[in-house]
Amino acid sequence: RGHASKKCGVVLASSAVTLLGSLAAPGLGQAAMCGSFAGMCGIGVIPGLGDAVYLGAITALLFEILIHYRNAYLGVGGRLGAVAFIGANTFAMLKGVPVIAASHPPVASLAAGLRASPLALMAGCSAAGSVATIALREASDDKAAADPVRAAAVVGILSALLVGIGGFTDTGALAAYGGAFAGMSLPSRLMNGIIPGKKPAGGSTEVKAPSAVKLILSFAVAGALGGLVHGITLGWGWWLGGWGGKAGSCAFAGVLLYRGLEKITRGLRK
Protein backbone atom coordinates (compact mmCIF):
# COMPACT_ATOMS: atom_id res chain seq x y z
CA ARG A 1 0.00 0.00 0.00
CA GLY A 2 2.74 2.44 -0.94
CA HIS A 3 0.11 4.72 -2.43
CA ALA A 4 -1.31 5.53 1.01
CA SER A 5 1.69 7.73 1.76
CA LYS A 6 1.21 9.62 -1.54
CA LYS A 7 4.69 8.53 -2.65
CA CYS A 8 3.28 6.14 -5.22
CA GLY A 9 0.00 6.27 -7.12
CA VAL A 10 -2.46 3.39 -6.95
CA VAL A 11 -2.02 2.46 -10.60
CA LEU A 12 1.76 2.34 -10.42
CA ALA A 13 1.68 0.48 -7.11
CA SER A 14 -0.73 -2.19 -8.34
CA SER A 15 0.82 -2.69 -11.77
CA ALA A 16 4.38 -2.81 -10.39
CA VAL A 17 3.44 -5.37 -7.72
CA THR A 18 1.62 -7.42 -10.35
CA LEU A 19 4.52 -7.39 -12.79
CA LEU A 20 7.14 -8.18 -10.16
CA GLY A 21 4.97 -10.92 -8.66
CA SER A 22 4.31 -12.57 -12.02
CA LEU A 23 8.01 -12.47 -12.91
CA ALA A 24 9.11 -13.87 -9.54
CA ALA A 25 6.46 -16.59 -9.51
CA PRO A 26 4.93 -17.00 -13.00
CA GLY A 27 2.23 -19.35 -11.78
CA LEU A 28 0.98 -16.81 -9.25
CA GLY A 29 0.54 -13.82 -11.54
CA GLN A 30 -3.24 -13.79 -11.26
CA ALA A 31 -3.10 -14.08 -7.48
CA ALA A 32 -0.61 -11.21 -7.31
CA MET A 33 -2.81 -9.06 -9.51
CA CYS A 34 -5.97 -9.81 -7.53
CA GLY A 35 -4.23 -9.05 -4.26
CA SER A 36 -2.82 -5.81 -5.62
CA PHE A 37 -6.33 -4.70 -6.52
CA ALA A 38 -7.45 -5.17 -2.94
CA GLY A 39 -4.43 -3.11 -1.89
CA MET A 40 -5.69 -0.20 -4.01
CA CYS A 41 -8.24 0.60 -1.30
CA GLY A 42 -7.81 4.01 0.27
CA ILE A 43 -7.15 4.66 3.93
CA GLY A 44 -10.84 5.33 4.42
CA VAL A 45 -11.42 1.62 3.84
CA ILE A 46 -8.23 0.10 5.24
CA PRO A 47 -6.69 2.71 7.57
CA GLY A 48 -4.11 0.40 9.12
CA LEU A 49 -1.82 -2.51 8.35
CA GLY A 50 -4.06 -4.89 10.29
CA ASP A 51 -7.01 -3.89 8.14
CA ALA A 52 -4.95 -4.48 5.01
CA VAL A 53 -4.03 -7.97 6.20
CA TYR A 54 -7.67 -8.68 7.06
CA LEU A 55 -8.83 -7.56 3.61
CA GLY A 56 -6.03 -9.54 1.99
CA ALA A 57 -7.18 -12.69 3.76
CA ILE A 58 -10.77 -12.20 2.60
CA THR A 59 -9.65 -11.56 -0.97
CA ALA A 60 -7.32 -14.59 -0.93
CA LEU A 61 -10.18 -16.82 0.23
CA LEU A 62 -12.47 -15.50 -2.49
CA PHE A 63 -9.72 -15.95 -5.09
CA GLU A 64 -9.24 -19.58 -4.08
CA ILE A 65 -12.96 -20.29 -4.29
CA LEU A 66 -13.94 -18.32 -7.37
CA ILE A 67 -10.78 -18.42 -9.51
CA HIS A 68 -8.55 -21.27 -8.37
CA TYR A 69 -11.30 -23.78 -7.58
CA ARG A 70 -14.26 -22.79 -9.77
CA ASN A 71 -12.33 -20.87 -12.48
CA ALA A 72 -15.40 -18.68 -12.85
CA TYR A 73 -15.78 -16.58 -16.01
CA LEU A 74 -12.59 -17.91 -17.57
CA GLY A 75 -11.50 -15.66 -20.42
CA VAL A 76 -13.60 -12.68 -19.29
CA GLY A 77 -11.45 -9.65 -18.56
CA GLY A 78 -11.95 -7.96 -15.22
CA ARG A 79 -12.85 -11.08 -13.25
CA LEU A 80 -9.87 -10.65 -10.91
CA GLY A 81 -10.95 -7.11 -10.15
CA ALA A 82 -14.48 -8.32 -9.52
CA VAL A 83 -13.16 -10.79 -6.94
CA ALA A 84 -11.15 -8.05 -5.20
CA PHE A 85 -14.17 -5.73 -5.32
CA ILE A 86 -16.36 -8.34 -3.64
CA GLY A 87 -13.66 -8.73 -1.01
CA ALA A 88 -13.43 -4.97 -0.45
CA ASN A 89 -17.18 -4.62 -0.09
CA THR A 90 -17.39 -7.60 2.23
CA PHE A 91 -14.67 -6.07 4.40
CA ALA A 92 -16.38 -2.67 4.32
CA MET A 93 -19.70 -4.13 5.44
CA LEU A 94 -18.03 -6.01 8.27
CA LYS A 95 -16.29 -2.80 9.38
CA GLY A 96 -19.30 -0.55 8.86
CA VAL A 97 -17.74 1.54 6.08
CA PRO A 98 -20.46 3.09 3.83
CA VAL A 99 -20.08 2.02 0.22
CA ILE A 100 -22.21 4.75 -1.36
CA ALA A 101 -21.90 8.45 -0.60
CA ALA A 102 -25.63 9.13 -0.87
CA SER A 103 -28.16 6.32 -0.78
CA HIS A 104 -30.95 6.50 -3.36
CA PRO A 105 -30.29 10.04 -4.62
CA PRO A 106 -33.16 11.71 -6.54
CA VAL A 107 -33.31 11.43 -10.30
CA ALA A 108 -32.26 15.08 -10.69
CA SER A 109 -29.10 14.38 -8.72
CA LEU A 110 -28.36 11.33 -10.86
CA ALA A 111 -28.71 13.38 -14.04
CA ALA A 112 -26.49 16.12 -12.62
CA GLY A 113 -23.91 13.52 -11.62
CA LEU A 114 -23.79 12.14 -15.14
CA ARG A 115 -23.28 15.63 -16.59
CA ALA A 116 -20.42 16.26 -14.18
CA SER A 117 -18.81 12.85 -14.70
CA PRO A 118 -15.77 12.59 -17.03
CA LEU A 119 -17.51 10.01 -19.22
CA ALA A 120 -15.62 10.85 -22.41
CA LEU A 121 -12.26 10.70 -20.63
CA MET A 122 -13.09 7.42 -18.92
CA ALA A 123 -14.40 5.79 -22.10
CA GLY A 124 -11.54 7.00 -24.29
CA CYS A 125 -8.72 6.08 -21.92
CA SER A 126 -10.31 2.73 -21.12
CA ALA A 127 -10.64 1.92 -24.82
CA ALA A 128 -6.99 2.86 -25.33
CA GLY A 129 -5.88 0.68 -22.40
CA SER A 130 -7.85 -2.28 -23.71
CA VAL A 131 -6.46 -1.95 -27.24
CA ALA A 132 -2.90 -1.49 -25.96
CA THR A 133 -3.15 -4.65 -23.89
CA ILE A 134 -4.54 -6.91 -26.59
CA ALA A 135 -2.10 -5.42 -29.11
CA LEU A 136 0.83 -6.19 -26.81
CA ARG A 137 -0.44 -9.73 -26.33
CA GLU A 138 -1.10 -10.43 -30.00
CA ALA A 139 1.90 -8.65 -31.52
CA SER A 140 4.56 -10.18 -29.29
CA ASP A 141 6.35 -13.42 -30.09
CA ASP A 142 7.58 -13.50 -26.50
CA LYS A 143 5.36 -15.79 -24.42
CA ALA A 144 6.03 -13.71 -21.31
CA ALA A 145 4.91 -10.48 -22.99
CA ALA A 146 1.83 -12.22 -24.40
CA ASP A 147 0.71 -13.18 -20.90
CA PRO A 148 -2.46 -11.15 -20.15
CA VAL A 149 -1.41 -10.37 -16.58
CA ARG A 150 1.98 -9.01 -17.58
CA ALA A 151 0.62 -7.16 -20.60
CA ALA A 152 -1.97 -5.37 -18.43
CA ALA A 153 0.67 -4.58 -15.82
CA VAL A 154 2.95 -3.03 -18.45
CA VAL A 155 0.08 -0.89 -19.74
CA GLY A 156 -0.65 0.17 -16.16
CA ILE A 157 2.95 1.16 -15.51
CA LEU A 158 3.17 3.14 -18.75
CA SER A 159 -0.12 4.89 -17.97
CA ALA A 160 1.11 5.86 -14.50
CA LEU A 161 4.38 7.21 -15.89
CA LEU A 162 2.49 9.38 -18.40
CA VAL A 163 0.65 11.27 -15.65
CA GLY A 164 1.52 14.96 -15.82
CA ILE A 165 2.59 14.81 -19.46
CA GLY A 166 0.38 16.76 -21.85
CA GLY A 167 -2.32 17.19 -19.24
CA PHE A 168 -2.72 13.45 -18.63
CA THR A 169 -4.17 12.90 -15.16
CA ASP A 170 -4.38 10.20 -12.51
CA THR A 171 -8.01 9.67 -13.51
CA GLY A 172 -6.94 8.98 -17.08
CA ALA A 173 -4.27 6.55 -15.88
CA LEU A 174 -6.81 4.70 -13.74
CA ALA A 175 -9.20 4.51 -16.69
CA ALA A 176 -6.46 3.17 -18.97
CA TYR A 177 -5.48 0.59 -16.35
CA GLY A 178 -9.13 -0.41 -16.03
CA GLY A 179 -9.32 -0.77 -19.80
CA ALA A 180 -6.27 -3.04 -19.68
CA PHE A 181 -8.35 -5.53 -17.70
CA ALA A 182 -10.89 -5.71 -20.52
CA GLY A 183 -7.89 -6.27 -22.79
CA MET A 184 -7.05 -9.39 -20.80
CA SER A 185 -10.10 -11.14 -22.25
CA LEU A 186 -9.66 -14.10 -24.55
CA PRO A 187 -10.60 -12.89 -28.06
CA SER A 188 -12.71 -15.99 -28.64
CA ARG A 189 -14.64 -15.38 -25.41
CA LEU A 190 -15.13 -11.67 -25.95
CA MET A 191 -15.99 -11.78 -29.63
CA ASN A 192 -17.74 -15.12 -29.97
CA GLY A 193 -18.75 -16.10 -26.45
CA ILE A 194 -16.78 -19.33 -26.62
CA ILE A 195 -16.00 -20.71 -23.18
CA PRO A 196 -12.51 -22.26 -23.08
CA GLY A 197 -12.70 -26.03 -23.03
CA LYS A 198 -16.24 -26.13 -24.43
CA LYS A 199 -17.43 -26.49 -28.01
CA PRO A 200 -18.98 -23.45 -29.67
CA ALA A 201 -22.71 -23.38 -30.34
CA GLY A 202 -23.54 -25.79 -33.14
CA GLY A 203 -20.75 -28.16 -32.22
CA SER A 204 -18.15 -26.67 -34.56
CA THR A 205 -14.62 -26.73 -33.21
CA GLU A 206 -13.22 -24.30 -35.78
CA VAL A 207 -13.56 -20.57 -35.33
CA LYS A 208 -12.35 -18.18 -38.00
CA ALA A 209 -9.62 -15.90 -36.72
CA PRO A 210 -10.86 -12.29 -36.63
CA SER A 211 -9.21 -9.59 -38.70
CA ALA A 212 -6.92 -7.17 -36.92
CA VAL A 213 -9.43 -4.35 -37.41
CA LYS A 214 -12.31 -6.35 -35.94
CA LEU A 215 -10.15 -7.48 -33.04
CA ILE A 216 -9.08 -3.94 -32.17
CA LEU A 217 -12.59 -2.55 -32.60
CA SER A 218 -14.13 -5.23 -30.38
CA PHE A 219 -11.64 -4.64 -27.58
CA ALA A 220 -11.95 -0.88 -27.94
CA VAL A 221 -15.73 -1.02 -27.56
CA ALA A 222 -15.55 -3.41 -24.60
CA GLY A 223 -12.99 -1.16 -22.93
CA ALA A 224 -15.06 1.96 -23.61
CA LEU A 225 -18.17 0.35 -22.12
CA GLY A 226 -16.23 -0.47 -18.97
CA GLY A 227 -14.99 3.11 -18.84
CA LEU A 228 -18.53 4.43 -19.13
CA VAL A 229 -19.64 2.23 -16.23
CA HIS A 230 -16.70 3.51 -14.18
CA GLY A 231 -17.50 7.10 -15.10
CA ILE A 232 -21.13 6.68 -14.06
CA THR A 233 -20.11 5.44 -10.62
CA LEU A 234 -17.88 8.49 -10.21
CA GLY A 235 -20.65 10.87 -11.20
CA TRP A 236 -23.14 9.25 -8.84
CA GLY A 237 -20.72 9.14 -5.92
CA TRP A 238 -20.61 5.35 -5.61
CA TRP A 239 -17.56 3.72 -4.03
CA LEU A 240 -15.46 6.87 -3.84
CA GLY A 241 -12.23 7.32 -1.91
CA GLY A 242 -10.39 4.26 -3.19
CA TRP A 243 -12.18 0.93 -3.54
CA GLY A 244 -10.02 -2.02 -4.46
CA GLY A 245 -11.17 -3.86 -7.56
CA LYS A 246 -13.61 -1.18 -8.69
CA ALA A 247 -11.83 -0.50 -11.99
CA GLY A 248 -11.63 -4.22 -12.68
CA SER A 249 -15.29 -4.72 -11.83
CA CYS A 250 -16.25 -1.97 -14.25
CA ALA A 251 -14.11 -3.61 -16.93
CA PHE A 252 -15.83 -6.91 -16.14
CA ALA A 253 -19.21 -5.21 -16.57
CA GLY A 254 -18.02 -3.68 -19.85
CA VAL A 255 -17.04 -7.07 -21.26
CA LEU A 256 -20.38 -8.59 -20.24
CA LEU A 257 -22.21 -5.61 -21.76
CA TYR A 258 -20.28 -6.10 -24.99
CA ARG A 259 -21.23 -9.77 -25.06
CA GLY A 260 -24.87 -8.85 -24.53
CA LEU A 261 -24.83 -6.27 -27.30
CA GLU A 262 -23.03 -8.67 -29.64
CA LYS A 263 -25.68 -11.32 -29.04
CA ILE A 264 -28.47 -8.83 -29.73
CA THR A 265 -26.93 -7.55 -32.96
CA ARG A 266 -26.15 -11.09 -34.11
CA GLY A 267 -29.75 -12.09 -33.47
CA LEU A 268 -31.06 -9.08 -35.41
CA ARG A 269 -28.91 -9.98 -38.41
CA LYS A 270 -30.37 -13.51 -38.59
Short mmCIF file of all heavy atoms in Angstrom, two decimals, residues 69-110:
data_model
loop_
_atom_site.label_atom_id
_atom_site.label_comp_id
_atom_site.label_asym_id
_atom_site.label_seq_id
_atom_site.Cartn_x
_atom_site.Cartn_y
_atom_site.Cartn_z
N TYR A 69 -10.48 -22.57 -7.66
CA TYR A 69 -11.30 -23.78 -7.58
C TYR A 69 -12.35 -23.83 -8.69
O TYR A 69 -12.42 -24.78 -9.46
CB TYR A 69 -11.96 -23.88 -6.21
CG TYR A 69 -12.89 -25.06 -6.07
CD1 TYR A 69 -12.40 -26.37 -6.05
CD2 TYR A 69 -14.27 -24.87 -5.95
CE1 TYR A 69 -13.25 -27.46 -5.94
CE2 TYR A 69 -15.13 -25.96 -5.83
CZ TYR A 69 -14.62 -27.25 -5.82
OH TYR A 69 -15.46 -28.32 -5.71
N ARG A 70 -13.17 -22.78 -8.81
CA ARG A 70 -14.26 -22.79 -9.77
C ARG A 70 -13.86 -22.27 -11.16
O ARG A 70 -14.52 -22.57 -12.15
CB ARG A 70 -15.44 -21.95 -9.25
CG ARG A 70 -16.11 -22.53 -8.01
CD ARG A 70 -17.35 -21.72 -7.65
NE ARG A 70 -18.32 -21.70 -8.73
CZ ARG A 70 -19.24 -22.63 -8.95
NH1 ARG A 70 -19.29 -23.69 -8.15
NH2 ARG A 70 -20.09 -22.53 -9.95
N ASN A 71 -12.79 -21.48 -11.23
CA ASN A 71 -12.33 -20.87 -12.48
C ASN A 71 -13.49 -20.13 -13.16
O ASN A 71 -13.72 -20.28 -14.36
CB ASN A 71 -11.75 -21.92 -13.42
CG ASN A 71 -10.64 -21.34 -14.29
OD1 ASN A 71 -10.24 -20.20 -14.14
ND2 ASN A 71 -10.15 -22.15 -15.22
N ALA A 72 -14.20 -19.36 -12.37
CA ALA A 72 -15.40 -18.68 -12.85
C ALA A 72 -15.07 -17.63 -13.91
O ALA A 72 -14.08 -16.91 -13.79
CB ALA A 72 -16.13 -18.02 -11.68
N TYR A 73 -15.90 -17.56 -14.93
CA TYR A 73 -15.78 -16.58 -16.01
C TYR A 73 -14.39 -16.59 -16.65
O TYR A 73 -13.81 -15.53 -16.93
CB TYR A 73 -16.12 -15.17 -15.49
CG TYR A 73 -17.57 -15.00 -15.16
CD1 TYR A 73 -18.04 -15.17 -13.85
CD2 TYR A 73 -18.50 -14.70 -16.15
CE1 TYR A 73 -19.39 -15.04 -13.55
CE2 TYR A 73 -19.85 -14.57 -15.85
CZ TYR A 73 -20.28 -14.73 -14.55
OH TYR A 73 -21.61 -14.60 -14.25
N LEU A 74 -13.89 -17.77 -16.91
CA LEU A 74 -12.59 -17.91 -17.57
C LEU A 74 -12.61 -17.19 -18.92
O LEU A 74 -13.51 -17.38 -19.73
CB LEU A 74 -12.26 -19.38 -17.76
CG LEU A 74 -10.95 -19.72 -18.47
CD1 LEU A 74 -9.76 -19.19 -17.69
CD2 LEU A 74 -10.82 -21.22 -18.70
N GLY A 75 -11.61 -16.38 -19.15
CA GLY A 75 -11.50 -15.66 -20.42
C GLY A 75 -12.21 -14.33 -20.45
O GLY A 75 -12.15 -13.61 -21.44
N VAL A 76 -12.90 -13.97 -19.36
CA VAL A 76 -13.60 -12.68 -19.29
C VAL A 76 -12.73 -11.69 -18.53
O VAL A 76 -12.44 -11.89 -17.34
CB VAL A 76 -14.97 -12.82 -18.58
CG1 VAL A 76 -15.64 -11.46 -18.46
CG2 VAL A 76 -15.86 -13.79 -19.35
N GLY A 77 -12.30 -10.64 -19.19
CA GLY A 77 -11.45 -9.65 -18.56
C GLY A 77 -12.14 -8.94 -17.41
O GLY A 77 -13.35 -8.67 -17.48
N GLY A 78 -11.40 -8.66 -16.36
CA GLY A 78 -11.95 -7.96 -15.22
C GLY A 78 -12.41 -8.87 -14.09
O GLY A 78 -12.80 -8.38 -13.02
N ARG A 79 -12.34 -10.18 -14.29
CA ARG A 79 -12.85 -11.08 -13.25
C ARG A 79 -12.00 -11.01 -11.98
O ARG A 79 -12.53 -11.17 -10.87
CB ARG A 79 -12.92 -12.53 -13.76
CG ARG A 79 -11.58 -13.18 -14.07
CD ARG A 79 -11.77 -14.64 -14.43
NE ARG A 79 -10.49 -15.34 -14.56
CZ ARG A 79 -10.34 -16.65 -14.41
NH1 ARG A 79 -11.39 -17.41 -14.11
NH2 ARG A 79 -9.16 -17.21 -14.55
N LEU A 80 -10.72 -10.77 -12.11
CA LEU A 80 -9.87 -10.65 -10.91
C LEU A 80 -10.23 -9.40 -10.12
O LEU A 80 -10.27 -9.43 -8.88
CB LEU A 80 -8.39 -10.61 -11.31
CG LEU A 80 -7.85 -11.83 -12.05
CD1 LEU A 80 -6.39 -11.62 -12.44
CD2 LEU A 80 -8.01 -13.09 -11.21
N GLY A 81 -10.52 -8.33 -10.82
CA GLY A 81 -10.95 -7.11 -10.15
C GLY A 81 -12.29 -7.30 -9.47
O GLY A 81 -12.52 -6.78 -8.37
N ALA A 82 -13.17 -8.06 -10.11
CA ALA A 82 -14.48 -8.32 -9.52
C ALA A 82 -14.33 -9.08 -8.21
O ALA A 82 -15.04 -8.80 -7.23
CB ALA A 82 -15.35 -9.10 -10.49
N VAL A 83 -13.40 -10.03 -8.17
CA VAL A 83 -13.16 -10.79 -6.94
C VAL A 83 -12.65 -9.85 -5.84
O VAL A 83 -13.13 -9.89 -4.70
CB VAL A 83 -12.15 -11.92 -7.19
CG1 VAL A 83 -11.71 -12.56 -5.87
CG2 VAL A 83 -12.75 -12.98 -8.10
N ALA A 84 -11.68 -9.00 -6.18
CA ALA A 84 -11.15 -8.05 -5.20
C ALA A 84 -12.22 -7.07 -4.74
O ALA A 84 -12.27 -6.68 -3.57
CB ALA A 84 -9.97 -7.29 -5.79
N PHE A 85 -13.09 -6.68 -5.65
CA PHE A 85 -14.17 -5.73 -5.32
C PHE A 85 -15.17 -6.36 -4.35
O PHE A 85 -15.63 -5.71 -3.41
CB PHE A 85 -14.87 -5.30 -6.61
CG PHE A 85 -15.80 -4.14 -6.45
CD1 PHE A 85 -15.36 -2.92 -5.98
CD2 PHE A 85 -17.14 -4.27 -6.79
CE1 PHE A 85 -16.22 -1.84 -5.84
CE2 PHE A 85 -18.02 -3.19 -6.66
CZ PHE A 85 -17.55 -1.98 -6.18
N ILE A 86 -15.49 -7.63 -4.58
CA ILE A 86 -16.36 -8.34 -3.64
C ILE A 86 -15.70 -8.41 -2.27
O ILE A 86 -16.34 -8.20 -1.24
CB ILE A 86 -16.66 -9.77 -4.16
CG1 ILE A 86 -17.50 -9.71 -5.44
CG2 ILE A 86 -17.40 -10.58 -3.09
CD1 ILE A 86 -17.67 -11.05 -6.12
N GLY A 87 -14.39 -8.68 -2.28
CA GLY A 87 -13.66 -8.73 -1.01
C GLY A 87 -13.67 -7.39 -0.30
O GLY A 87 -13.88 -7.33 0.92
N ALA A 88 -13.46 -6.30 -1.05
CA ALA A 88 -13.43 -4.97 -0.45
C ALA A 88 -14.79 -4.59 0.13
O ALA A 88 -14.88 -4.01 1.22
CB ALA A 88 -13.00 -3.94 -1.49
N ASN A 89 -15.85 -4.93 -0.58
CA ASN A 89 -17.18 -4.62 -0.09
C ASN A 89 -17.57 -5.48 1.10
O ASN A 89 -18.24 -5.01 2.02
CB ASN A 89 -18.20 -4.78 -1.21
CG ASN A 89 -18.25 -3.58 -2.14
OD1 ASN A 89 -18.94 -2.60 -1.89
ND2 ASN A 89 -17.49 -3.64 -3.22
N THR A 90 -17.14 -6.73 1.08
CA THR A 90 -17.39 -7.60 2.23
C THR A 90 -16.69 -7.05 3.46
O THR A 90 -17.28 -6.96 4.55
CB THR A 90 -16.88 -9.03 1.95
OG1 THR A 90 -17.55 -9.56 0.81
CG2 THR A 90 -17.11 -9.94 3.14
N PHE A 91 -15.44 -6.65 3.29
CA PHE A 91 -14.67 -6.07 4.40
C PHE A 91 -15.34 -4.79 4.89
O PHE A 91 -15.46 -4.56 6.10
CB PHE A 91 -13.24 -5.79 3.94
CG PHE A 91 -12.41 -5.07 4.96
CD1 PHE A 91 -11.78 -5.76 5.98
CD2 PHE A 91 -12.26 -3.69 4.90
CE1 PHE A 91 -11.01 -5.10 6.93
CE2 PHE A 91 -11.48 -3.02 5.85
CZ PHE A 91 -10.87 -3.73 6.86
N ALA A 92 -15.77 -3.94 3.94
CA ALA A 92 -16.38 -2.67 4.32
C ALA A 92 -17.66 -2.89 5.12
O ALA A 92 -17.92 -2.18 6.11
CB ALA A 92 -16.69 -1.86 3.06
N MET A 93 -18.46 -3.86 4.71
CA MET A 93 -19.70 -4.13 5.44
C MET A 93 -19.41 -4.65 6.84
O MET A 93 -20.09 -4.28 7.80
CB MET A 93 -20.55 -5.12 4.65
CG MET A 93 -21.22 -4.53 3.43
SD MET A 93 -22.40 -5.64 2.64
CE MET A 93 -21.29 -6.88 1.95
N LEU A 94 -18.40 -5.48 6.96
CA LEU A 94 -18.03 -6.01 8.27
C LEU A 94 -17.51 -4.91 9.19
O LEU A 94 -17.71 -4.95 10.41
CB LEU A 94 -16.96 -7.10 8.12
CG LEU A 94 -17.42 -8.41 7.46
CD1 LEU A 94 -16.23 -9.33 7.23
CD2 LEU A 94 -18.48 -9.11 8.30
N LYS A 95 -16.86 -3.90 8.60
CA LYS A 95 -16.29 -2.80 9.38
C LYS A 95 -17.21 -1.59 9.48
O LYS A 95 -16.88 -0.60 10.13
CB LYS A 95 -14.95 -2.37 8.76
CG LYS A 95 -13.90 -3.48 8.70
CD LYS A 95 -13.37 -3.85 10.06
CE LYS A 95 -12.43 -2.80 10.59
NZ LYS A 95 -11.77 -3.20 11.85
N GLY A 96 -18.36 -1.66 8.80
CA GLY A 96 -19.30 -0.55 8.86
C GLY A 96 -18.92 0.65 8.02
O GLY A 96 -19.35 1.78 8.30
N VAL A 97 -18.13 0.44 6.97
CA VAL A 97 -17.74 1.54 6.08
C VAL A 97 -18.82 1.70 5.01
O VAL A 97 -19.15 0.74 4.31
CB VAL A 97 -16.38 1.25 5.41
CG1 VAL A 97 -16.01 2.38 4.46
CG2 VAL A 97 -15.31 1.03 6.45
N PRO A 98 -19.41 2.90 4.85
CA PRO A 98 -20.46 3.09 3.83
C PRO A 98 -19.88 2.97 2.43
O PRO A 98 -18.80 3.50 2.14
CB PRO A 98 -20.96 4.51 4.11
CG PRO A 98 -19.82 5.20 4.78
CD PRO A 98 -19.14 4.14 5.61
N VAL A 99 -20.59 2.26 1.57
CA VAL A 99 -20.08 2.02 0.22
C VAL A 99 -20.56 3.07 -0.78
O VAL A 99 -19.97 3.24 -1.84
CB VAL A 99 -20.48 0.61 -0.29
CG1 VAL A 99 -19.90 -0.45 0.62
CG2 VAL A 99 -21.99 0.46 -0.36
N ILE A 100 -21.65 3.76 -0.46
CA ILE A 100 -22.21 4.75 -1.36
C ILE A 100 -22.35 6.07 -0.63
O ILE A 100 -22.88 6.11 0.49
CB ILE A 100 -23.57 4.30 -1.93
CG1 ILE A 100 -23.39 3.00 -2.74
CG2 ILE A 100 -24.18 5.38 -2.80
CD1 ILE A 100 -24.68 2.44 -3.28
N ALA A 101 -21.90 7.14 -1.26
CA ALA A 101 -21.90 8.45 -0.60
C ALA A 101 -23.30 8.91 -0.24
O ALA A 101 -23.54 9.45 0.83
CB ALA A 101 -21.22 9.47 -1.51
N ALA A 102 -24.25 8.71 -1.13
CA ALA A 102 -25.63 9.13 -0.87
C ALA A 102 -26.57 8.03 -1.34
O ALA A 102 -26.64 7.74 -2.53
CB ALA A 102 -25.93 10.43 -1.60
N SER A 103 -27.27 7.41 -0.43
CA SER A 103 -28.16 6.32 -0.78
C SER A 103 -29.41 6.84 -1.49
O SER A 103 -30.04 7.80 -1.04
CB SER A 103 -28.58 5.55 0.48
OG SER A 103 -27.45 5.01 1.12
N HIS A 104 -29.74 6.19 -2.59
CA HIS A 104 -30.95 6.50 -3.36
C HIS A 104 -31.11 7.99 -3.63
O HIS A 104 -32.09 8.62 -3.21
CB HIS A 104 -32.19 5.98 -2.62
CG HIS A 104 -32.08 4.55 -2.25
ND1 HIS A 104 -32.06 3.55 -3.19
CD2 HIS A 104 -31.99 3.94 -1.04
CE1 HIS A 104 -31.96 2.37 -2.58
NE2 HIS A 104 -31.89 2.58 -1.28
N PRO A 105 -30.15 8.61 -4.31
CA PRO A 105 -30.29 10.04 -4.62
C PRO A 105 -31.43 10.26 -5.61
O PRO A 105 -31.76 9.37 -6.39
CB PRO A 105 -28.94 10.40 -5.25
CG PRO A 105 -28.44 9.11 -5.81
CD PRO A 105 -28.91 8.05 -4.86
N PRO A 106 -32.06 11.44 -5.61
CA PRO A 106 -33.16 11.71 -6.54
C PRO A 106 -32.68 11.69 -7.98
O PRO A 106 -31.49 11.84 -8.26
CB PRO A 106 -33.64 13.10 -6.11
CG PRO A 106 -32.46 13.72 -5.42
CD PRO A 106 -31.78 12.57 -4.72
N VAL A 107 -33.64 11.53 -8.88
CA VAL A 107 -33.31 11.43 -10.30
C VAL A 107 -32.54 12.67 -10.76
O VAL A 107 -31.61 12.59 -11.56
CB VAL A 107 -34.59 11.26 -11.14
CG1 VAL A 107 -34.27 11.29 -12.63
CG2 VAL A 107 -35.27 9.94 -10.78
N ALA A 108 -32.94 13.84 -10.28
CA ALA A 108 -32.26 15.08 -10.69
C ALA A 108 -30.79 15.03 -10.32
O ALA A 108 -29.93 15.48 -11.07
CB ALA A 108 -32.93 16.28 -10.02
N SER A 109 -30.49 14.48 -9.15
CA SER A 109 -29.10 14.38 -8.72
C SER A 109 -28.33 13.38 -9.59
O SER A 109 -27.16 13.59 -9.89
CB SER A 109 -29.04 13.94 -7.25
OG SER A 109 -29.61 14.92 -6.41
N LEU A 110 -29.00 12.32 -9.99
CA LEU A 110 -28.36 11.33 -10.86
C LEU A 110 -28.01 11.96 -12.21
O LEU A 110 -26.93 11.75 -12.75
CB LEU A 110 -29.28 10.12 -11.06
CG LEU A 110 -29.57 9.27 -9.82
CD1 LEU A 110 -30.53 8.14 -10.17
CD2 LEU A 110 -28.28 8.70 -9.23
#
